[in-house]
Amino acid sequence: MNAEAYLPLLYWHEAQLRAEAGDYGAAIPLMDKSREPANRDKFGWNPYVDATIAFLRRDKVALTKARKRLAELPKPSDLNAGRSWPPNLGVVDGLIRCFGKTYKVAYGPTCRKPIT
Protein backbone atom coordinates (compact mmCIF):
# COMPACT_ATOMS: atom_id res chain seq x y z
CA MET A 1 0.00 0.00 0.00
CA ASN A 2 1.45 3.37 -0.97
CA ALA A 3 1.65 6.32 1.39
CA GLU A 4 -1.21 8.17 -0.33
CA ALA A 5 -3.59 5.37 0.61
CA TYR A 6 -3.12 6.34 4.26
CA LEU A 7 -3.95 10.03 3.75
CA PRO A 8 -7.70 9.72 4.45
CA LEU A 9 -6.97 8.02 7.77
CA LEU A 10 -4.40 10.67 8.66
CA TYR A 11 -6.90 13.41 7.79
CA TRP A 12 -9.46 11.72 10.06
CA HIS A 13 -7.14 11.46 13.03
CA GLU A 14 -5.94 15.04 12.67
CA ALA A 15 -9.59 16.10 12.46
CA GLN A 16 -10.39 14.20 15.65
CA LEU A 17 -7.54 15.91 17.48
CA ARG A 18 -8.74 19.31 16.30
CA ALA A 19 -12.34 18.50 17.24
CA GLU A 20 -11.26 17.35 20.70
CA ALA A 21 -9.49 20.69 21.08
CA GLY A 22 -12.73 22.45 20.13
CA ASP A 23 -11.56 23.64 16.69
CA TYR A 24 -14.55 22.35 14.75
CA GLY A 25 -13.97 24.76 11.87
CA ALA A 26 -10.62 23.13 11.12
CA ALA A 27 -11.85 19.59 11.85
CA ILE A 28 -14.78 19.51 9.42
CA PRO A 29 -12.81 20.00 6.15
CA LEU A 30 -10.33 17.34 7.24
CA MET A 31 -13.17 14.93 7.98
CA ASP A 32 -14.57 15.62 4.51
CA LYS A 33 -11.20 14.64 3.03
CA SER A 34 -11.32 11.27 4.80
CA ARG A 35 -14.32 9.97 2.84
CA GLU A 36 -14.15 6.70 0.93
CA PRO A 37 -15.23 6.54 -2.71
CA ALA A 38 -18.88 5.44 -2.57
CA ASN A 39 -18.21 2.22 -4.47
CA ARG A 40 -15.62 1.14 -1.86
CA ASP A 41 -17.53 2.07 1.30
CA LYS A 42 -18.83 -1.35 2.39
CA PHE A 43 -18.42 -0.65 6.11
CA GLY A 44 -20.34 2.62 6.46
CA TRP A 45 -17.40 4.98 6.80
CA ASN A 46 -19.13 7.81 4.93
CA PRO A 47 -22.32 7.76 7.05
CA TYR A 48 -20.07 7.80 10.13
CA VAL A 49 -18.23 10.83 8.73
CA ASP A 50 -21.59 12.48 7.94
CA ALA A 51 -22.82 11.84 11.47
CA THR A 52 -19.69 13.25 13.06
CA ILE A 53 -19.74 16.37 10.90
CA ALA A 54 -23.43 16.85 11.68
CA PHE A 55 -22.62 16.63 15.39
CA LEU A 56 -19.89 19.25 15.04
CA ARG A 57 -22.28 21.51 13.13
CA ARG A 58 -24.94 21.01 15.83
CA ASP A 59 -27.33 19.61 13.22
CA LYS A 60 -29.34 16.94 15.02
CA VAL A 61 -31.57 16.24 12.02
CA ALA A 62 -28.58 15.44 9.80
CA LEU A 63 -26.98 13.44 12.63
CA THR A 64 -30.10 11.31 13.02
CA LYS A 65 -30.36 10.75 9.24
CA ALA A 66 -26.71 9.69 9.04
CA ARG A 67 -27.26 7.31 11.96
CA LYS A 68 -30.21 5.75 10.14
CA ARG A 69 -28.13 5.23 6.97
CA LEU A 70 -25.37 3.63 9.03
CA ALA A 71 -27.75 1.36 10.98
CA GLU A 72 -29.45 0.16 7.78
CA LEU A 73 -26.20 -0.84 6.10
CA PRO A 74 -26.40 -4.51 5.09
CA LYS A 75 -23.92 -6.76 6.85
CA PRO A 76 -21.48 -8.41 4.43
CA SER A 77 -22.01 -12.17 4.31
CA ASP A 78 -18.31 -12.85 4.78
CA LEU A 79 -18.00 -10.77 7.96
CA ASN A 80 -16.94 -12.55 11.14
CA ALA A 81 -20.10 -13.47 13.05
CA GLY A 82 -18.67 -12.22 16.36
CA ARG A 83 -18.00 -8.72 15.08
CA SER A 84 -20.56 -6.05 15.90
CA TRP A 85 -22.32 -4.45 12.98
CA PRO A 86 -22.17 -1.79 11.73
CA PRO A 87 -18.85 -0.34 12.83
CA ASN A 88 -19.00 2.96 14.70
CA LEU A 89 -22.73 2.75 15.46
CA GLY A 90 -21.96 2.94 19.19
CA VAL A 91 -19.90 6.07 18.60
CA VAL A 92 -22.74 7.71 16.66
CA ASP A 93 -25.22 6.71 19.35
CA GLY A 94 -22.92 8.41 21.86
CA LEU A 95 -22.90 11.58 19.76
CA ILE A 96 -26.69 11.54 19.77
CA ARG A 97 -26.93 10.68 23.47
CA CYS A 98 -24.63 13.58 24.37
CA PHE A 99 -25.74 16.00 21.67
CA GLY A 100 -24.93 19.55 22.70
CA LYS A 101 -21.83 18.57 24.67
CA THR A 102 -18.31 18.93 23.33
CA TYR A 103 -16.95 16.40 20.86
CA LYS A 104 -14.36 15.36 23.43
CA VAL A 105 -17.10 14.43 25.90
CA ALA A 106 -19.55 12.96 23.37
CA TYR A 107 -16.90 10.78 21.72
CA GLY A 108 -15.81 9.40 25.08
CA PRO A 109 -16.85 6.21 26.85
CA THR A 110 -19.42 7.83 29.17
CA CYS A 111 -21.66 8.80 26.26
CA ARG A 112 -21.37 5.37 24.66
CA LYS A 113 -22.79 3.59 27.70
CA PRO A 114 -26.37 2.41 27.15
CA ILE A 115 -28.97 4.45 28.95
CA THR A 116 -30.59 2.35 31.68
Side-chain angles (χ1 to χ4, degrees), residues 47-82:
Y48 172 54
V49 171
D50 292 339
T52 305
I53 290 172
F55 175 85
L56 297 180
R57 289 184 173 148
R58 301 291 193 242
D59 185 343
K60 195 163 190 179
V61 171
L63 173 56
T64 303
K65 287 180 181 177
R67 193 243 182 243
K68 185 176 192 287
R69 287 194 316 275
L70 181 61
E72 291 175 348
L73 195 67
K75 185 175 183 176
S77 59
D78 60 342
L79 189 69
N80 179 338

Side-chain angles (χ1 to χ4, degrees), residues 13-66:
H13 288 295
E14 180 182 350
Q16 284 187 302
L17 291 171
R18 291 180 182 272
E20 284 187 3
D23 190 357
Y24 298 170
I28 291 169
L30 290 166
M31 288 180 176
D32 268 331
K33 286 182 168 187
S34 78
R35 293 182 190 281
E36 286 283 332
N39 64 338
R40 290 195 347 226
D41 186 20
K42 297 188 305 188
F43 292 93
W45 179 255
N46 292 339
Y48 172 54
V49 171
D50 292 339
T52 305
I53 290 172
F55 175 85
L56 297 180
R57 289 184 173 148
R58 301 291 193 242
D59 185 343
K60 195 163 190 179
V61 171
L63 173 56
T64 303
K65 287 180 181 177

